[in-house]
Amino acid sequence: DAGVTQSPTHLIKTRGQHVTLRCSPISGHKSVSWYQQVLGQGPQFIFQYYEKEERGRGNFPDRFSARQFPNYSSELNVNALLLGDSALYLCASSSDSFWGQYFGPGTRLTVT
Amino acid sequence: AQSVTQPDIHITVSEGASLELRCNYSYGATPYLFWYVQSPGQGLQLLLKYFSGDTLVQGIKGFEAEFKRSQSSFNLRKPSVHWSDAAEYFCAGYNQGGKLIFGQGTELSVKP
């Protein structure tokens, strides 16, 4: 079975631009979560979606938004990019809200 | 506040030696706890999880972890380390709000 997939793998953007990151969960998983991992730190929770509804939001500004589609794939959008948004963005899926989460390889975003 | 703490930022062990990575948590109720491993530039791989029941849990790659409520700990162990185990290890747990919280990570180096 395919694991969690994310696209693109790498992305370079300029300050002020916006970006859309995509994630496809493991087949049968209905929950998708997004995390930001800055170099040298553990992942920080951004959003969780379950059955297309937002279940949780981390301490991130309104420039960050997400949605989940009927096929359970998900998008993370970040507007007005700042240099500090440079990070590895990880998507994770799980069969329900509290079961173990399975992570994708991540999207490396660089803001210049 | 609910938190996950990994006291050791970096640990070096010799190949074939035993390993113990420390994790402390602060939660009121029985926590949901996890250990993940991350190789450079990669996503996170789930090693093992604890929800309830037997306090000694077995994971993949020969890892195990023991939940000790009296010490608020969930330490990861492996009896004999292989060079391929060199990576970053993260302990994580769900907080009361249903968000997965990660420790700061422990980088493991393996000496030949």
Side-chain angles (χ1 to χ4, degrees):
Chain A
D1 285 341
V4 177
T5 59
Q6 292 185 244
S7 63
T9 305
H10 295 89
L11 204 53
I12 299 175
K13 290 286 189 177
T14 305
R15 276 177 297 177
Q17 288 187 316
H18 73 274
V19 67
T20 298
L21 310 181
R22 296 177 174 83
C23 170
S24 291
I26 292 171
S27 177
H29 284 189
K30 299 179 180 179
S31 176
V32 170
S33 298
W34 287 95
Y35 297 83
Q36 181 195 65
Q37 186 179 23
V38 175
L39 196 63
Q41 297 182 19
Q44 298 292 315
F45 172 80
I46 309 175
F47 286 109
Q48 183 185 35
Y49 278 79
Y50 180 74
E51 286 278 19
K52 301 179 287 294
E53 292 190 2
E54 183 181 302
R55 280 291 182 92
R57 173 185 288 254
N59 190 24
F60 281 81
D62 292 342
R63 299 184 296 107
F64 288 76
S65 63
R67 55 180 176 168
Q68 187 177 32
F69 298 99
N71 66 353
Y72 302 111
S73 67
S74 178
E75 284 183 354
L76 175 70
N77 294 282
V78 186
N79 294 324
L81 285 166
L82 303 174
L83 294 179
D85 295 331
S86 295
L88 181 67
Y89 287 85
L90 296 163
C91 173
S93 76
S94 61
S95 55
D96 64 30
S97 293
F98 284 91
W99 204 241
Q101 296 190 16
Y102 295 85
F103 284 79
T107 294
R108 172 72 62 186
L109 172 64
T110 302
V111 182
T112 62
Chain B
Q2 294 152 331
S3 64
V4 175
T5 304
Q6 294 177 246
D8 304 306
I9 296 174
H10 189 202
I11 283 182
T12 300
V13 299
S14 297
E15 191 168 16
S18 63
L19 170 70
E20 182 168 23
L21 302 182
R22 296 186 292 165
C23 173
N24 296 104
Y25 67 91
S26 65
Y27 290 92
T30 299
Y32 292 63
L33 295 168
F34 308 85
W35 274 99
Y36 287 88
V37 60
Q38 185 178 35
S39 297
Q42 303 296 313
L44 282 75
Q45 182 180 23
L46 180 63
L47 287 175
L48 47 78
K49 53 184 179 276
Y50 172 77
F51 292 159
S52 65
D54 193 349
T55 56
L56 184 64
V57 292
Q58 302 296 321
I60 62 171
K61 303 185 177 186
F63 286 93
E64 66 178 26
E66 186 171 12
F67 172 68
K68 292 186 177 180
R69 183 185 296 279
S70 61
Q71 299 177 20
S72 297
S73 69
F74 186 58
N75 294 348
L76 182 71
R77 302 194 295 245
K78 187 170 185 178
S80 178
V81 170
H82 187 263
W83 64 267
S84 61
D85 292 324
E88 186 99 26
Y89 291 80
F90 291 96
C91 182
Y94 282 109
N95 68 6
Q96 207 165 26
K99 300 173 186 176
L100 190 62
I101 306 298
F102 285 82
Q104 302 92 317
T106 298
E107 184 181 357
L108 173 65
S109 297
V110 180
K111 291 190 302 183

PDB file of all heavy atoms in Angstrom, chain B residues 55-74:
ATOM      1  N   THR B  55       2.643  -2.162  29.899  1.00  0.00           N
ATOM      2  CA  THR B  55       3.459  -0.943  29.911  1.00  0.00           C
ATOM      3  C   THR B  55       4.747  -1.086  29.109  1.00  0.00           C
ATOM      4  O   THR B  55       5.435  -0.091  28.887  1.00  0.00           O
ATOM      5  CB  THR B  55       3.804  -0.541  31.348  1.00  0.00           C
ATOM      6  OG1 THR B  55       4.457  -1.640  31.997  1.00  0.00           O
ATOM      7  CG2 THR B  55       2.544  -0.163  32.125  1.00  0.00           C
ATOM      8  N   LEU B  56       5.088  -2.295  28.701  1.00  0.00           N
ATOM      9  CA  LEU B  56       6.263  -2.510  27.850  1.00  0.00           C
ATOM     10  C   LEU B  56       5.757  -2.785  26.444  1.00  0.00           C
ATOM     11  O   LEU B  56       5.063  -3.778  26.217  1.00  0.00           O
ATOM     12  CB  LEU B  56       7.093  -3.680  28.372  1.00  0.00           C
ATOM     13  CG  LEU B  56       8.402  -3.953  27.618  1.00  0.00           C
ATOM     14  CD1 LEU B  56       9.362  -2.775  27.747  1.00  0.00           C
ATOM     15  CD2 LEU B  56       9.049  -5.234  28.132  1.00  0.00           C
ATOM     16  N   VAL B  57       6.088  -1.910  25.524  1.00  0.00           N
ATOM     17  CA  VAL B  57       5.591  -2.045  24.158  1.00  0.00           C
ATOM     18  C   VAL B  57       6.749  -2.312  23.208  1.00  0.00           C
ATOM     19  O   VAL B  57       7.829  -1.740  23.344  1.00  0.00           O
ATOM     20  CB  VAL B  57       4.808  -0.794  23.711  1.00  0.00           C
ATOM     21  CG1 VAL B  57       3.521  -0.683  24.485  1.00  0.00           C
ATOM     22  CG2 VAL B  57       5.626   0.475  23.884  1.00  0.00           C
ATOM     23  N   GLN B  58       6.486  -3.189  22.274  1.00  0.00           N
ATOM     24  CA  GLN B  58       7.500  -3.536  21.280  1.00  0.00           C
ATOM     25  C   GLN B  58       7.227  -2.766  19.989  1.00  0.00           C
ATOM     26  O   GLN B  58       6.064  -2.550  19.620  1.00  0.00           O
ATOM     27  CB  GLN B  58       7.454  -5.042  20.993  1.00  0.00           C
ATOM     28  CG  GLN B  58       7.675  -5.905  22.227  1.00  0.00           C
ATOM     29  CD  GLN B  58       9.060  -5.722  22.829  1.00  0.00           C
ATOM     30  OE1 GLN B  58      10.049  -5.584  22.115  1.00  0.00           O
ATOM     31  NE2 GLN B  58       9.130  -5.699  24.160  1.00  0.00           N
ATOM     32  N   GLY B  59       8.291  -2.375  19.314  1.00  0.00           N
ATOM     33  CA  GLY B  59       8.133  -1.644  18.075  1.00  0.00           C
ATOM     34  C   GLY B  59       8.900  -2.299  16.943  1.00  0.00           C
ATOM     35  O   GLY B  59       9.360  -3.435  17.058  1.00  0.00           O
ATOM     36  N   ILE B  60       9.064  -1.538  15.898  1.00  0.00           N
ATOM     37  CA  ILE B  60       9.807  -2.041  14.746  1.00  0.00           C
ATOM     38  C   ILE B  60      11.294  -1.851  14.964  1.00  0.00           C
ATOM     39  O   ILE B  60      11.716  -1.123  15.870  1.00  0.00           O
ATOM     40  CB  ILE B  60       9.361  -1.340  13.450  1.00  0.00           C
ATOM     41  CG1 ILE B  60       9.635   0.166  13.522  1.00  0.00           C
ATOM     42  CG2 ILE B  60       7.882  -1.597  13.179  1.00  0.00           C
ATOM     43  CD1 ILE B  60       9.423   0.889  12.213  1.00  0.00           C
ATOM     44  N   LYS B  61      12.091  -2.521  14.161  1.00  0.00           N
ATOM     45  CA  LYS B  61      13.549  -2.374  14.163  1.00  0.00           C
ATOM     46  C   LYS B  61      14.191  -2.759  15.497  1.00  0.00           C
ATOM     47  O   LYS B  61      15.283  -2.298  15.813  1.00  0.00           O
ATOM     48  CB  LYS B  61      13.966  -0.947  13.796  1.00  0.00           C
ATOM     49  CG  LYS B  61      13.443  -0.469  12.455  1.00  0.00           C
ATOM     50  CD  LYS B  61      13.999   0.900  12.101  1.00  0.00           C
ATOM     51  CE  LYS B  61      13.515   1.328  10.730  1.00  0.00           C
ATOM     52  NZ  LYS B  61      14.153   2.590  10.276  1.00  0.00           N
ATOM     53  N   GLY B  62      13.510  -3.582  16.291  1.00  0.00           N
ATOM     54  CA  GLY B  62      14.090  -4.048  17.545  1.00  0.00           C
ATOM     55  C   GLY B  62      13.978  -3.091  18.711  1.00  0.00           C
ATOM     56  O   GLY B  62      14.579  -3.309  19.768  1.00  0.00           O
ATOM     57  N   PHE B  63      13.218  -2.016  18.552  1.00  0.00           N
ATOM     58  CA  PHE B  63      13.038  -1.043  19.630  1.00  0.00           C
ATOM     59  C   PHE B  63      11.893  -1.441  20.556  1.00  0.00           C
ATOM     60  O   PHE B  63      10.944  -2.089  20.134  1.00  0.00           O
ATOM     61  CB  PHE B  63      12.749   0.348  19.061  1.00  0.00           C
ATOM     62  CG  PHE B  63      13.958   1.022  18.466  1.00  0.00           C
ATOM     63  CD1 PHE B  63      14.233   0.901  17.111  1.00  0.00           C
ATOM     64  CD2 PHE B  63      14.810   1.759  19.260  1.00  0.00           C
ATOM     65  CE1 PHE B  63      15.350   1.513  16.555  1.00  0.00           C
ATOM     66  CE2 PHE B  63      15.925   2.386  18.721  1.00  0.00           C
ATOM     67  CZ  PHE B  63      16.197   2.256  17.361  1.00  0.00           C
ATOM     68  N   GLU B  64      12.005  -1.024  21.802  1.00  0.00           N
ATOM     69  CA  GLU B  64      10.942  -1.177  22.775  1.00  0.00           C
ATOM     70  C   GLU B  64      10.910   0.073  23.653  1.00  0.00           C
ATOM     71  O   GLU B  64      11.879   0.826  23.702  1.00  0.00           O
ATOM     72  CB  GLU B  64      11.131  -2.426  23.644  1.00  0.00           C
ATOM     73  CG  GLU B  64      12.343  -2.365  24.551  1.00  0.00           C
ATOM     74  CD  GLU B  64      12.470  -3.600  25.444  1.00  0.00           C
ATOM     75  OE1 GLU B  64      11.968  -4.682  25.066  1.00  0.00           O
ATOM     76  OE2 GLU B  64      13.077  -3.460  26.521  1.00  0.00           O
ATOM     77  N   ALA B  65       9.791   0.284  24.317  1.00  0.00           N
ATOM     78  CA  ALA B  65       9.673   1.420  25.225  1.00  0.00           C
ATOM     79  C   ALA B  65       8.833   0.998  26.421  1.00  0.00           C
ATOM     80  O   ALA B  65       7.946   0.149  26.300  1.00  0.00           O
ATOM     81  CB  ALA B  65       9.039   2.620  24.531  1.00  0.00           C
ATOM     82  N   GLU B  66       9.116   1.587  27.559  1.00  0.00           N
ATOM     83  CA  GLU B  66       8.397   1.255  28.778  1.00  0.00           C
ATOM     84  C   GLU B  66       7.736   2.488  29.352  1.00  0.00           C
ATOM     85  O   GLU B  66       8.388   3.525  29.571  1.00  0.00           O
ATOM     86  CB  GLU B  66       9.329   0.639  29.819  1.00  0.00           C
ATOM     87  CG  GLU B  66       8.587   0.136  31.055  1.00  0.00           C
ATOM     88  CD  GLU B  66       9.456  -0.665  31.993  1.00  0.00           C
ATOM     89  OE1 GLU B  66      10.698  -0.658  31.814  1.00  0.00           O
ATOM     90  OE2 GLU B  66       8.902  -1.297  32.910  1.00  0.00           O
ATOM     91  N   PHE B  67       6.443   2.400  29.593  1.00  0.00           N
ATOM     92  CA  PHE B  67       5.673   3.473  30.194  1.00  0.00           C
ATOM     93  C   PHE B  67       5.734   3.318  31.709  1.00  0.00           C
ATOM     94  O   PHE B  67       5.346   2.280  32.247  1.00  0.00           O
ATOM     95  CB  PHE B  67       4.221   3.403  29.712  1.00  0.00           C
ATOM     96  CG  PHE B  67       3.287   4.345  30.405  1.00  0.00           C
ATOM     97  CD1 PHE B  67       3.402   5.713  30.228  1.00  0.00           C
ATOM     98  CD2 PHE B  67       2.281   3.874  31.239  1.00  0.00           C
ATOM     99  CE1 PHE B  67       2.541   6.586  30.854  1.00  0.00           C
ATOM    100  CE2 PHE B  67       1.414   4.738  31.875  1.00  0.00           C
ATOM    101  CZ  PHE B  67       1.545   6.097  31.681  1.00  0.00           C
ATOM    102  N   LYS B  68       6.221   4.345  32.391  1.00  0.00           N
ATOM    103  CA  LYS B  68       6.283   4.336  33.852  1.00  0.00           C
ATOM    104  C   LYS B  68       5.537   5.565  34.373  1.00  0.00           C
ATOM    105  O   LYS B  68       6.072   6.678  34.375  1.00  0.00           O
ATOM    106  CB  LYS B  68       7.732   4.364  34.329  1.00  0.00           C
ATOM    107  CG  LYS B  68       8.510   3.087  34.008  1.00  0.00           C
ATOM    108  CD  LYS B  68       9.901   3.121  34.630  1.00  0.00           C
ATOM    109  CE  LYS B  68      10.648   1.821  34.370  1.00  0.00           C
ATOM    110  NZ  LYS B  68      12.008   1.829  34.957  1.00  0.00           N
ATOM    111  N   ARG B  69       4.312   5.329  34.841  1.00  0.00           N
ATOM    112  CA  ARG B  69       3.492   6.435  35.311  1.00  0.00           C
ATOM    113  C   ARG B  69       4.118   7.126  36.516  1.00  0.00           C
ATOM    114  O   ARG B  69       4.096   8.352  36.605  1.00  0.00           O
ATOM    115  CB  ARG B  69       2.090   5.935  35.684  1.00  0.00           C
ATOM    116  CG  ARG B  69       1.155   7.043  36.121  1.00  0.00           C
ATOM    117  CD  ARG B  69      -0.175   6.484  36.583  1.00  0.00           C
ATOM    118  NE  ARG B  69      -0.892   5.814  35.514  1.00  0.00           N
ATOM    119  CZ  ARG B  69      -1.619   6.444  34.601  1.00  0.00           C
ATOM    120  NH1 ARG B  69      -1.726   7.763  34.640  1.00  0.00           N
ATOM    121  NH2 ARG B  69      -2.262   5.760  33.678  1.00  0.00           N
ATOM    122  N   SER B  70       4.736   6.363  37.414  1.00  0.00           N
ATOM    123  CA  SER B  70       5.303   6.945  38.639  1.00  0.00           C
ATOM    124  C   SER B  70       6.448   7.915  38.325  1.00  0.00           C
ATOM    125  O   SER B  70       6.717   8.844  39.094  1.00  0.00           O
ATOM    126  CB  SER B  70       5.812   5.836  39.559  1.00  0.00           C
ATOM    127  OG  SER B  70       6.838   5.096  38.917  1.00  0.00           O
ATOM    128  N   GLN B  71       7.116   7.696  37.202  1.00  0.00           N
ATOM    129  CA  GLN B  71       8.224   8.559  36.811  1.00  0.00           C
ATOM    130  C   GLN B  71       7.866   9.487  35.650  1.00  0.00           C
ATOM    131  O   GLN B  71       8.717  10.243  35.182  1.00  0.00           O
ATOM    132  CB  GLN B  71       9.441   7.703  36.420  1.00  0.00           C
ATOM    133  CG  GLN B  71       9.963   6.839  37.553  1.00  0.00           C
ATOM    134  CD  GLN B  71      11.111   5.939  37.132  1.00  0.00           C
ATOM    135  OE1 GLN B  71      11.772   6.181  36.136  1.00  0.00           O
ATOM    136  NE2 GLN B  71      11.368   4.894  37.904  1.00  0.00           N
ATOM    137  N   SER B  72       6.619   9.394  35.190  1.00  0.00           N
ATOM    138  CA  SER B  72       6.177  10.190  34.025  1.00  0.00           C
ATOM    139  C   SER B  72       7.153  10.029  32.866  1.00  0.00           C
ATOM    140  O   SER B  72       7.538  11.006  32.209  1.00  0.00           O
ATOM    141  CB  SER B  72       6.062  11.676  34.404  1.00  0.00           C
ATOM    142  OG  SER B  72       5.085  11.870  35.397  1.00  0.00           O
ATOM    143  N   SER B  73       7.553   8.787  32.628  1.00  0.00           N
ATOM    144  CA  SER B  73       8.551   8.551  31.583  1.00  0.00           C
ATOM    145  C   SER B  73       8.074   7.523  30.570  1.00  0.00           C
ATOM    146  O   SER B  73       7.202   6.688  30.848  1.00  0.00           O
ATOM    147  CB  SER B  73       9.868   8.083  32.205  1.00  0.00           C
ATOM    148  OG  SER B  73       9.727   6.780  32.751  1.00  0.00           O
ATOM    149  N   PHE B  74       8.651   7.607  29.402  1.00  0.00           N
ATOM    150  CA  PHE B  74       8.362   6.673  28.294  1.00  0.00           C
ATOM    151  C   PHE B  74       9.665   6.549  27.514  1.00  0.00           C
ATOM    152  O   PHE B  74       9.816   7.045  26.414  1.00  0.00           O
ATOM    153  CB  PHE B  74       7.223   7.213  27.430  1.00  0.00           C
ATOM    154  CG  PHE B  74       6.755   6.255  26.364  1.00  0.00           C
ATOM    155  CD1 PHE B  74       6.283   4.989  26.694  1.00  0.00           C
ATOM    156  CD2 PHE B  74       6.749   6.629  25.024  1.00  0.00           C
ATOM    157  CE1 PHE B  74       5.827   4.106  25.715  1.00  0.00           C
ATOM    158  CE2 PHE B  74       6.301   5.751  24.034  1.00  0.00           C
ATOM    159  CZ  PHE B  74       5.838   4.486  24.390  1.00  0.00           C
TER     160      PHE B  74
END
